[in-house]
Amino acid sequence: MRHLRSLLPLFLLAVVTFAAYWNAWPEALVLDDKMFAGQERFADLSRAPEFFRESVWATTGYSDKLYRPLLLLSFAIDSTLFADRVVAWHLVNVTLHVLATLLVYLLLLRLLRLSEPPGEPIVLIAMLAAVVFGVHPIHTEVVNSIFNRSAIFVTIGSTVGLWWLLHYMDTRPALSWTGIWLAYWFVLFSRETGILLPVLAVVLVWIYSRGGWRQKSRRCLPALPMVLPLLAYLTLRARAIPPSAPLKGREVGDPMGIIDLFAAGNLLDWNSWMRLAGVWLDALRLALWPRPLLMYHPSPDSMMQIAGLIVHLGLFLAAIYLYRRERPGLITGLAIFYIALLPSSRLFGSEGFLPTLTERSLYGPSVGLAVILAYGLLYLQRRGDRLLMAAPVVLAVCLLTPITWARNADWSDDITLFEHDYRHGGALRSSALEGFTAGLVMEGRHIRAVEVCREIRNLPQKSGYLNMNCGTAYAMSGDANRAEQAYFDATKDDASRARAFYNLTYLYAARGQHKKIQAQLERAIESEKGPATRAYLQGLMLIRLYPGDRARLLEARAHFEEGVRLQPRFTLAIEALEVVNRSLERLP
């Protein structure tokens, strides 16, 4: 009977969390999911070892810094089990979120037992705090996006590792550190944001260990071997992702990809820290009241940055004060929140990119907010009774669950998702408009895309990709002059310059201006920074300009082969190679 009673909170948590995401498995793919779910790349599970030798976007030909082999492995498992049944892929995400919620409950239970005397209703408190984590709308992006399940993996691995560490910390210290050491392997190869798990482990051991600083330091020393998984990860990552070019003013390169992950970036920029203070304040606001939920949140203004700095400093001082009074809840929750959020802050390894808020980056850090909530409920219970403690949580669940349902519905397709952002202030943010116009163009709704482009024509700072999307919309609607101007505007942006020049070739081909095609192709090749894509474009130029010339086609084939050599899973180059081979076979 006692065993069944201990399982009851887990059952209730699973049911309530699953109910909050009952509409999160549409028969549709959104955004990046289209590049992964049901793709041939994952049809053969025997390719699993190759996922540790390639980047996430290896099939695109572009260089990227995302190395998540366990995410790719999970796609291969889904493909083996479910083929192209998209509903099942989504259900896997929901199930993983339910599992993460249960693990958060167990971690909260362990933290409360370490810090509170027997007799407190900690099971009920941990369950109430975990259920808010389970139904909270800020998790909808991660749960609804197959591509972002890596954030759930990191949370699962980190939560299990920390629970294990704290559970055996006093009785079997060697076993406790072995557990989190193994969890670190899982976390690292799931997503880059889990890289600071050793730091978080040391902080929690320090908080929940008795004795002076010397005793605490000795208990933290076993964290040092956690550098081994990190070195293994960096080595494999460097083999899968081309290292960065040498830093300006230095002769050394980056053979292990360390600069990509740990370069100072904006670390020494005070303006970046102020902006980050505003971003993190907005993250706390979303946790308290998640409206509106957006793909791209606005940049904090100067007042919000100052307010953020004051709030974070006040929370830090309050946490230190309570910790010195043997109330570790606030400092524990803030440590989990800020340390888990730091890797996605763009202070490291992101030269030129300013801190921005994305909801997918809040999934793991929100565990820290659940810790703060649990200790807050404990305080309410001591001040009153269990009804006073439970009432705010019941109210929160009743308010948050409908918001989660609504946001799940937004994630049912690209247009609905970006239309929501557009109606809730996205018209002022170029990043949100990029996705909206791209979705409209891909769906063939060029008239609506043109309407949006005309509505935002006076936007002061439009990104290159937004201009390019508008150019394509104008071209599809027959307005060649506006399309040409939009493409030329896109060439002013380094990120979109190569693609914009390439798109101009199709515009000139449709207008019969064949003399301009070669010039634009040459500019596209010159502007392209990715070596594999550059080789692909060189071959493409040759087959477009000299479709019947054997010598030119052979030269084009050599370029495509070079692209495949540089990026073995480069889909476009592989397909172009097949096309040019068929063309050569038809020639006399």
Side-chain angles (χ1 to χ4, degrees):
M1 189 68 178
R2 183 179 299 176
H3 180 67
L4 292 176
R5 184 181 298 177
S6 65
L7 293 178
L8 181 60
L10 297 173
F11 175 76
L12 293 175
L13 273 175
V15 170
V16 175
T17 302
F18 195 84
Y21 287 90
W22 69 272
N23 62 335
W25 52 86
E27 293 186 13
L29 296 172
V30 179
L31 303 179
D32 295 335
D33 293 356
K34 299 173 183 177
M35 300 293 294
F36 298 95
Q39 294 298 311
E40 184 181 356
R41 180 185 183 188
F42 307 106
D44 187 1
L45 192 56
S46 64
R47 285 202 65 248
E50 296 182 26
F51 299 144
F52 290 82
R53 298 194 293 269
E54 60 189 32
S55 67
V56 169
W57 296 100
T59 59
T60 64
Y62 291 99
S63 298
D64 69 90
K65 298 180 181 180
L66 301 185
Y67 179 63
R68 301 171 184 175
L70 292 184
L71 174 65
L72 302 183
L73 179 60
S74 77
F75 293 155
I77 294 173
D78 280 5
S79 182
T80 301
L81 295 175
F82 312 120
D84 58 355
R85 291 189 289 275
V86 175
V87 169
W89 289 62
H90 284 298
L91 275 171
V92 169
N93 266 37
V94 176
T95 303
L96 288 170
H97 174 60
V98 172
L99 175 60
T101 302
L102 300 181
L103 293 171
V104 168
Y105 161 74
L106 294 176
L107 178 61
L108 294 176
L109 206 57
R110 171 50 44 190
L111 291 171
L112 291 171
R113 283 174 176 164
L114 285 173
S115 59
E116 300 304 321
E120 298 287 359
I122 58 176
V123 171
L124 178 61
I125 291 172
M127 184 183 72
L128 291 173
V131 78
V132 175
F133 175 91
V135 306
H136 206 291
I138 60 172
H139 300 150
T140 50
E141 178 176 359
V142 168
V143 178
N144 284 272
S145 170
I146 296 167
F147 177 71
N148 283 311
R149 74 167 55 153
S150 56
I152 308 180
F153 284 164
V154 169
T155 302
I156 288 174
S158 300
T159 306
V160 169
L162 292 173
W163 176 87
W164 185 276
L165 175 67
L166 296 173
H167 185 75
Y168 292 104
M169 179 176 62
D170 294 324
T171 58
R172 305 179 68 180
L175 181 64
S176 69
W177 284 103
T178 301
I180 198 167
W181 185 79
L182 294 174
Y184 193 40
W185 284 92
F186 177 81
V187 165
L188 276 176
F189 288 95
S190 294
R191 190 182 179 99
E192 299 83 356
T193 52
I195 202 165
L196 292 183
L197 179 58
V199 177
L200 185 54
V202 168
V203 170
L204 293 190
V205 169
W206 187 281
I207 292 173
Y208 289 94
S209 294
R210 295 180 177 84
W213 68 270
R214 290 184 179 179
Q215 291 88 343
K216 290 176 180 284
S217 298
R218 281 198 296 269
R219 300 196 75 174
C220 293
L221 284 178
L224 293 177
M226 293 182 75
V227 74
L228 297 177
L230 179 60
L231 291 175
Y233 164 78
L234 290 174
T235 301
L236 291 173
R237 183 180 183 275
R239 293 178 180 177
I241 301 175
S244 299
L247 290 175
K248 182 179 289 188
R250 299 185 187 179
E251 298 299 326
V252 297
D254 185 22
M256 291 187 66
I258 295 176
I259 293 174
D260 287 343
L261 287 176
F262 299 108
N266 302 309
L267 183 61
L268 302 180
D269 183 3
W270 173 249
N271 291 328
S272 293
W273 279 100
M274 288 298 296
R275 181 183 172 111
L276 186 63
V279 167
W280 283 357
L281 179 61
D282 199 18
L284 293 173
R285 178 194 65 81
L286 281 177
L288 294 174
W289 183 242
R291 296 288 284 180
L293 293 175
L294 301 169
M295 281 288 294
Y296 302 94
H297 286 264
S299 302
D301 57 26
S302 57
M303 290 301 297
M304 192 167 186
Q305 292 176 18
I306 295 172
L309 189 63
I310 295 172
V311 168
H312 301 314
L313 181 60
L315 287 173
F316 174 76
L317 293 176
I320 295 297
Y321 171 77
L322 292 174
Y323 174 64
R324 292 177 65 86
R325 299 193 63 179
E326 298 185 352
R327 296 178 182 177
L330 183 58
I331 196 170
T332 301
L334 292 179
I336 295 174
F337 178 77
Y338 288 120
I339 293 174
L341 196 53
L342 188 60
S344 59
S345 66
R346 293 186 171 182
L347 290 177
F348 301 90
S350 297
E351 189 72 41
F353 292 94
L354 295 175
T356 56
L357 177 61
T358 58
E359 285 148 32
R360 60 184 174 272
S361 64
L362 298 180
Y363 190 87
S366 65
V367 175
L369 302 180
V371 173
I372 297 174
L373 175 59
Y375 279 91
L377 293 175
L378 180 64
Y379 174 79
L380 288 178
Q381 192 275 332
R382 289 174 175 173
R383 302 287 292 184
D385 55 25
R386 294 190 182 186
L387 180 61
L388 177 64
M389 173 188 66
V393 174
V394 173
L395 178 62
V397 171
C398 292
L399 292 173
L400 295 176
T401 300
I403 301 175
T404 300
W405 289 341
R407 191 54 172 166
N408 291 336
D410 290 335
W411 275 89
S412 60
D413 63 81
D414 291 336
I415 302 303
T416 301
L417 180 62
F418 285 113
E419 186 79 51
H420 173 274
D421 273 38
Y422 186 69
R423 290 177 179 176
H424 291 82
L428 301 178
R429 293 187 295 280
S430 186
S431 53
L433 289 166
E434 282 181 22
F436 187 31
T437 52
L440 291 170
V441 168
M442 287 189 291
E443 293 290 331
R445 297 173 57 181
H446 56 272
I447 295 177
R448 175 62 175 140
V450 168
E451 290 176 357
V452 174
C453 290
R454 288 175 177 170
E455 289 171 5
I456 61 168
R457 60 181 177 271
N458 295 324
L459 192 68
Q461 292 183 336
K462 289 189 287 186
S463 69
Y465 282 111
L466 177 55
N467 280 315
M468 195 163 60
N469 294 340
C470 288
T472 303
Y474 288 131
M476 292 171 65
S477 66
D479 192 341
N481 291 330
R482 284 185 181 272
E484 183 179 28
Q485 183 58 53
Y487 284 144
F488 274 123
D489 289 340
T491 63
K492 299 174 184 178
D493 189 330
D494 288 342
S496 60
R497 181 175 294 123
R499 187 76 62 85
F501 280 129
Y502 183 66
N503 283 4
L504 279 167
T505 65
Y506 287 101
L507 184 65
Y508 292 144
R511 294 165 62 176
Q513 297 174 307
H514 299 287
K515 292 183 179 180
K516 293 185 177 182
I517 294 177
Q518 182 173 356
Q520 302 307 321
L521 283 171
E522 290 174 348
R523 290 176 181 175
I525 294 168
E526 182 182 355
S527 304
E528 178 55 53
K529 297 179 180 179
T533 305
R534 189 184 305 115
Y536 165 75
L537 290 176
Q538 288 172 328
L540 206 60
M541 180 178 69
L542 292 172
I543 63 175
R544 288 188 64 182
L545 296 177
Y546 311 102
D549 189 324
R550 174 176 288 275
R552 296 288 189 174
L553 291 181
L554 288 172
E555 186 178 350
R557 183 170 69 179
H559 286 301
F560 294 141
E561 289 173 343
E562 175 68 7
V564 174
R565 185 190 68 79
L566 292 170
Q567 196 71 272
R569 302 292 298 175
F570 188 2
T571 303
L572 291 176
I574 294 171
E575 293 174 351
L577 193 57
E578 294 174 355
V579 170
V580 76
N581 284 331
R582 287 196 296 269
S583 298
L584 286 168
E585 290 174 358
R586 288 194 295 266
L587 289 178

